[in-house]
Amino acid sequence: MRTAFPGFPPPRFNSGLCLAGAFILSLSLATAAQQPVSNSADIQREAMHKLAFLAGRWSGPVTIMRGPGEPLHLTQSEDVQYKLDGLVVLIEGKSTSTDGKAQFSALATISFDDATRTYRIRAFNDGHYLDAELALLADGFSWGFPAGPVRIVNTMHLTAKGEWHEVSEATMGNAPPRGGVEMLLQHLR
């Protein structure tokens, strides 16, 4: 038998070493078989179920304050679906003007990190994205992010009528929050 490396003799078969290796391997497999099966996906799916109130199609008015002057009034739609067997919520939002022309569109995913016990939202808009922690509230959710010296916070509550009421506010330093976006959506199913 030739070796791949000249000058090194071929390895000798050592039955004692092989027997010890086989014993260690079988012991490892037996130990692994006794470990509980990871239920990470089940934990995540259970946490994500708490967002079930969002699932479906929503539509209604949105008002956007763009500084001094008249606010912009549009129609907002939100399509919310569970994906990956309930592990991720996908939200597609669109704002249209009265003539039906798209003015704004965004896509977001919400997931649950069972290691940190936190919900995460990743939102995409106009070639940009951001990641933020999302907090569940008794009747909705809240999430925020820094935008330079400003902190933006989005807070959603279900109204007594089951409407999606969401307000986005901007805070700079110690100044009181200023409203930027407010929407009131009806659940279309």
Side-chain angles (χ1 to χ4, degrees), residues 6-58:
F8 289 98
R12 287 194 246 177
F13 182 73
N14 184 336
S15 62
L17 185 59
C18 286
L19 185 58
F23 176 73
I24 292 171
L25 179 62
S26 66
L27 185 60
S28 298
L29 291 174
T31 303
Q34 294 173 7
Q35 297 296 318
V37 177
S38 172
N39 61 355
S40 177
D42 292 336
I43 292 169
Q44 292 173 34
R45 203 171 281 111
E46 182 179 327
M48 292 302 294
H49 183 71
K50 294 176 182 176
L51 293 167
F53 65 92
L54 289 174
R57 295 191 49 78
W58 299 79

Side-chain angles (χ1 to χ4, degrees), residues 20-183:
F23 176 73
I24 292 171
L25 179 62
S26 66
L27 185 60
S28 298
L29 291 174
T31 303
Q34 294 173 7
Q35 297 296 318
V37 177
S38 172
N39 61 355
S40 177
D42 292 336
I43 292 169
Q44 292 173 34
R45 203 171 281 111
E46 182 179 327
M48 292 302 294
H49 183 71
K50 294 176 182 176
L51 293 167
F53 65 92
L54 289 174
R57 295 191 49 78
W58 299 79
S59 183
V62 61
T63 302
I64 302 170
M65 299 300 294
R66 302 179 294 174
E70 291 296 313
L72 180 61
H73 298 284
L74 303 170
T75 298
Q76 180 74 18
S77 67
E78 300 281 348
D79 186 14
V80 183
Q81 302 174 22
Y82 276 97
K83 297 293 183 180
L84 298 176
D85 195 25
L87 293 175
V88 176
V89 168
L90 179 70
I91 303 171
E92 184 174 9
K94 293 182 183 179
S95 297
T96 55
S97 56
T98 54
D99 63 1
K101 187 174 181 181
Q103 299 294 313
F104 172 83
S105 62
L107 186 73
T109 59
I110 300 173
S111 59
F112 182 75
D113 182 342
D114 58 310
T116 62
R117 314 290 294 165
T118 58
Y119 292 88
R120 302 295 303 175
I121 184 168
R122 179 173 260 201
F124 302 85
N125 169 258
D126 201 23
H128 304 282
Y129 74 92
L130 61 90
D131 286 303
E133 187 172 324
L134 181 134
L136 286 188
L137 307 174
D139 59 351
F141 60 83
S142 180
W143 62 283
F145 58 94
V150 177
R151 173 115 181 115
I152 308 293
V153 176
N154 301 287
T155 306
M156 179 274 188
H157 293 281
L158 282 179
T159 68
K161 294 180 182 178
E163 300 161 313
W164 174 328
H165 180 244
E166 187 167 347
V167 175
S168 296
E169 295 179 312
T171 305
M172 186 172 208
N174 292 330
R178 295 181 59 169
V181 178
E182 183 172 5
M183 61 185 187

